[in-house]
Amino acid sequence: MNLFVLLFKSIYSPKTIALTRFQKIGKPILYGFLLAFLAALPNCIYLNLAIVNAINGLDQTINEKIPEFTIHNGTLKSEENAVVKAKHDQYTIIFDPKGTFTRDDLKWQENVIGILSNEFVFVSNGTMQQLEYNFFQETEITKEDLTAAIKQLSEVAPIIIPVISVTLFAMSATSKFVEITFLAIVGLLFKKRMGKRLNFKQLWTISAYSVTLATVFFAIMNFFLIDISFALYINWFVHITVLYLVLKEIPNPKQPVKAA
């Protein structure tokens, strides 16, 4: 069976997953990359769209609606010491030299660009990224510097987006292989209690296919921006349950017949 047929059958068939224990290790590794791609795809799509929407015309909005400022020694300073809010596309820009807002205040909002007293915060679809001004400790940044940087960023976006996509995929792949390996370790405990004769390579193989159901489910939920409570616990409950059902499909070794 090819990987896409295995992907479909691994969603509902523990018996099919049990048969994969005889595969060479290369195929489940490739399958793990496929699952990592599916898991990363929704985040990749929304993050790249968010970046494009956020930076297009952002320099002009800041230039017209945000007062003059400097960032020096890790602090935002402005003669107009007041909170300013401006609208850019779907995003709200919050300029706050007073320290009224913190990253915790913004992380619950949907789409926000925060130029705060000590850090820059970007929230898109509820996902937050931040950059502390201390990173530029030896550099003084002005409003003109920021708008120029944003303009340059929009020009190189076609280069940045593939880099971000590859980075997200690499992070997803690392997470997925750690997940599979940990599930295989859980399989060692099940194997002993259930009397199954399996080596770690076989357990790792069936674990790679056992994480399919939860991976596909959460990928679909992320695509439709549906937040699931206790996602981590649900994820591992499904993984372990599927692995247990797969192990039940594997016959126990035959007992030798004792001579009369």
Side-chain angles (χ1 to χ4, degrees):
M1 285 185 286
N2 65 43
L3 291 180
F4 294 101
V5 174
L6 279 170
L7 175 68
F8 177 71
K9 290 194 172 184
S10 295
I11 293 173
Y12 67 88
S13 176
K15 187 174 183 179
T16 299
I17 297 175
L19 293 173
T20 64
R21 68 189 185 278
F22 300 113
Q23 291 179 352
K24 293 182 179 179
I25 193 63
K27 195 163 187 177
I29 289 176
L30 190 60
Y31 187 81
F33 280 115
L34 175 61
L35 290 181
F37 173 78
L38 291 176
L41 187 59
N43 291 333
C44 186
I45 291 172
Y46 285 115
L47 181 58
N48 287 332
L49 286 174
I51 290 171
V52 171
N53 292 334
I55 64 178
N56 281 342
L58 178 61
D59 56 328
Q60 184 176 352
T61 303
I62 290 176
N63 198 42
E64 293 175 354
K65 299 183 179 180
I66 300 300
E68 296 291 333
F69 64 84
T70 59
I71 297 172
H72 185 60
N73 291 331
T75 304
L76 174 67
K77 298 178 180 179
S78 175
E79 290 185 3
E80 190 171 330
N81 193 29
V83 177
V84 177
K85 293 185 179 182
K87 197 71 177 174
H88 170 68
D89 195 40
Q90 300 176 5
Y91 290 84
T92 300
I93 302 173
I94 297 178
F95 175 78
D96 177 25
K98 296 178 63 177
T100 305
F101 291 92
T102 66
R103 71 175 72 166
D104 290 333
D105 297 322
L106 302 187
K107 70 180 180 180
W108 303 111
Q109 301 191 40
E110 191 71 14
N111 296 304
V112 177
I113 298 170
I115 307 173
L116 306 185
S117 60
N118 58 0
E119 63 184 335
F120 178 83
V121 176
F122 175 66
V123 182
S124 180
N125 294 316
T127 301
M128 184 177 71
Q129 305 290 333
Q130 67 272 346
L131 177 64
E132 294 185 1
Y133 301 146
N134 286 330
F135 184 78
F136 310 103
Q137 190 70 39
E138 304 299 324
T139 307
E140 182 175 282
I141 300 173
T142 65
K143 174 181 170 179
E144 289 73 22
D145 294 329
L146 180 60
T147 54
I150 292 170
K151 188 174 182 180
Q152 292 176 358
L153 187 62
S154 64
E155 292 172 354
V156 298
I159 300 172
I160 294 174
I161 287 174
V163 172
I164 292 174
S165 300
V166 170
T167 302
L168 287 174
F169 172 70
M171 293 171 61
S172 177
T174 301
S175 174
K176 189 59 61 180
F177 282 113
V178 169
E179 198 173 26
I180 292 169
T181 302
F182 187 80
L183 185 62
I185 294 171
V186 174
L188 288 173
L189 304 177
F190 280 172
K191 159 197 149 178
K192 186 174 181 181
R193 296 185 68 87
M194 299 173 73
K196 307 297 180 180
R197 188 174 294 171
L198 297 166
N199 57 39
F200 189 75
K201 175 259 178 187
Q202 291 174 320
L203 284 169
W204 198 93
T205 299
I206 62 176
S207 295
Y209 295 98
S210 295
V211 301
T212 302
L213 177 59
T215 300
V216 171
F217 172 77
F218 283 107
I220 293 171
M221 294 299 103
N222 288 338
F223 184 80
F224 289 104
L225 301 177
I226 299 173
D227 188 31
I228 304 295
S229 301
F230 308 107
L232 180 64
Y233 299 104
I234 294 172
N235 183 63
W236 278 103
F237 175 77
V238 174
H239 286 348
I240 293 171
T241 301
V242 172
L243 180 63
Y244 176 77
L245 294 174
V246 171
L247 290 173
K248 285 186 68 177
E249 294 289 338
I250 299 174
N252 291 331
K254 294 181 179 179
Q255 298 294 329
V257 179
K258 294 183 179 180

